[in-house]
Amino acid sequence: MPTIFIVFGFIFKFYSDDHTPIHVHVMKDGNEAKYNVEPTVVQVFNHGFKKHEISMIESIIEENVNVIKERWQEYFRQEK
């Protein structure tokens, strides 16, 4: 499970056998959320994060959406 980055203890990663659309899994303290980042950032699920944590997670994703896409494309060797 490749880690993209860790911010404020939130671990942003994807699974090595993941599928499109490009998305990111966010984990912390046994909680997990998943967000599609393409074509736009959309929450797929949230298991345990509180509202203020979700706001922070979404802000981090929005600020780093290009990094997430680049890491995905690099890992899965997709054309840009």
Side-chain angles (χ1 to χ4, degrees):
M1 187 184 300
T3 298
I4 303 167
F5 49 76
I6 301 172
V7 179
F8 302 122
F10 295 102
I11 302 166
F12 295 78
K13 53 179 46 184
F14 51 83
Y15 293 96
S16 59
D17 62 347
D18 254 337
H19 53 82
T20 55
I22 296 175
H23 61 274
V24 63
H25 296 265
V26 185
M27 299 168 190
K28 182 178 181 182
D29 300 331
N31 302 321
E32 181 177 0
K34 177 181 171 183
Y35 285 84
N36 288 345
V37 297
E38 196 170 76
T40 60
V41 176
V42 176
Q43 185 185 85
V44 177
F45 66 75
N46 170 29
H47 297 300
F49 287 116
K50 297 177 181 170
K51 187 176 180 178
H52 73 277
E53 293 172 310
I54 290 296
S55 294
M56 184 178 293
I57 289 167
E58 290 176 355
S59 177
I60 294 168
I61 292 172
E62 289 287 350
E63 291 175 12
N64 293 282
V65 72
N66 289 334
V67 172
I68 295 166
K69 288 179 183 181
E70 286 172 10
R71 289 290 307 272
W72 178 285
Q73 292 164 340
E74 178 182 289
Y75 187 82
F76 293 106
R77 297 188 178 139
Q78 293 182 348
E79 300 275 332
K80 289 185 181 180

